[in-house]
Amino acid sequence: MLRMGARTETRERMLRAAVDLLAERGYEGFGVLDVVARANASRGSIYFHFPDGKDQIVLEAMHLASQRRLDHFGQAVRGATDTATAVRETGLFLATVLEASDYTMGCPIAAVTLDVTTSHDQLRRRCANFFRSWQSLYLGSLLRDGVDRTRAERIAMMIVASLEGAMVLALAQRSAHVLIDVSHECAELCNTMPSSDALTAPADQSSVKDGEQ
């Protein structure tokens, strides 16, 4: 039992190391021996736990990274009173992650996306599913805020694109303020969205011109 537990712990440690390496280097700069070194594991362990090599460990690391991020983003949405608050919380979380890494690790999913759009369709689809799931969190929140579905879909996409772009700028400028500023601007936009009820409400009768009956 202890041996099995040790094997499981080694595998999980290697996956966590793989996530960090993908965030730092993307797919093309990722090597299985780097995972072994970062996880303080033996060379044989990489093929014991991941017999299909690089592609297997990258796919599993992508799954772990996606679940981690979506869990954080989902908690922000569920714990917020509205979409604007959730977006601000998410911007703060991402800024904290960047600062903690000393601006060496961005979003692992985005890093992989840039490397595999034409070379690895399975990984590309995994990346697309992550971004789609992230957008869905904001779509559901915006709909609860009363925003029209068509507009909510576009705004949800814009929030994700803005936050991902802000992470790239923050890495380049080594400043988390970019993420904070962008998330606040996205939140302000959410606050200005009229509800679908407001869009379909009848005109105020007080606005009828004088003399009209």
Side-chain angles (χ1 to χ4, degrees):
M1 183 66 69
L2 178 62
R3 184 175 179 80
M4 182 61 70
R7 288 179 178 178
T8 300
E9 195 280 330
T10 298
R11 194 178 197 280
E12 291 175 351
R13 193 169 68 245
M14 293 171 74
L15 281 174
R16 291 194 297 269
V19 170
D20 289 348
L21 287 166
L22 288 171
E24 292 175 6
R25 308 175 187 181
Y27 179 80
E28 294 299 335
F30 179 95
V32 293
L33 294 182
D34 296 320
V35 174
V36 168
R38 180 71 64 93
N40 193 26
S42 65
R43 285 196 178 192
S45 62
I46 193 76
Y47 299 105
F48 176 81
H49 293 292
F50 307 99
D52 292 334
K54 177 176 177 176
D55 283 352
Q56 181 183 358
I57 193 170
V58 169
L59 279 167
E60 293 197 31
M62 289 283 290
H63 177 74
L64 175 61
S66 297
Q67 287 304 310
R68 279 179 172 179
R69 296 218 160 200
L70 290 173
D71 284 347
H72 279 290
F73 302 155
Q75 287 172 13
V77 168
R78 290 188 295 273
T81 55
D82 54 24
T83 309
T85 303
V87 171
R88 290 192 188 95
E89 288 296 321
T90 300
L92 180 60
F93 163 72
L94 294 173
T96 301
V97 170
L98 284 182
E99 286 184 323
S101 75
D102 193 27
Y103 301 98
T104 61
M105 292 190 294
C107 172
I109 294 88
V112 172
T113 301
L114 294 173
D115 285 342
V116 303
T117 51
T118 60
S119 61
H120 200 306
D121 195 55
Q122 187 177 12
L123 278 174
R124 182 198 59 76
R125 291 197 304 271
R126 181 65 59 86
C127 296
N129 287 339
F130 164 76
F131 291 119
R132 192 176 298 113
S133 296
W134 189 5
Q135 287 174 224
S136 293
L137 290 172
Y138 296 131
L139 172 60
S141 181
L142 287 161
L143 291 174
R144 288 190 293 275
D145 290 345
V147 179
D148 171 77
R149 173 172 284 275
T150 300
R151 190 73 192 277
E153 289 175 348
R154 293 198 298 264
I155 295 170
M157 178 175 61
M158 186 214 69
I159 292 170
V160 171
S162 297
L163 291 176
E164 278 292 348
M167 278 190 277
V168 174
L169 287 176
L171 285 168
Q173 299 177 12
R174 294 182 62 83
S175 172
H177 290 295
V178 177
L179 263 166
I180 300 299
D181 291 346
V182 168
S183 64
H184 279 216
E185 288 302 316
C186 288
E188 286 302 309
L189 175 63
C190 292
N191 280 332
T192 65
M193 288 297 100
S195 69
S196 54
D197 290 341
L199 291 173
T200 58
D204 188 344
Q205 293 301 311
S206 64
S207 64
V208 178
K209 293 180 180 179
D210 291 342
E212 292 184 355
Q213 300 300 322

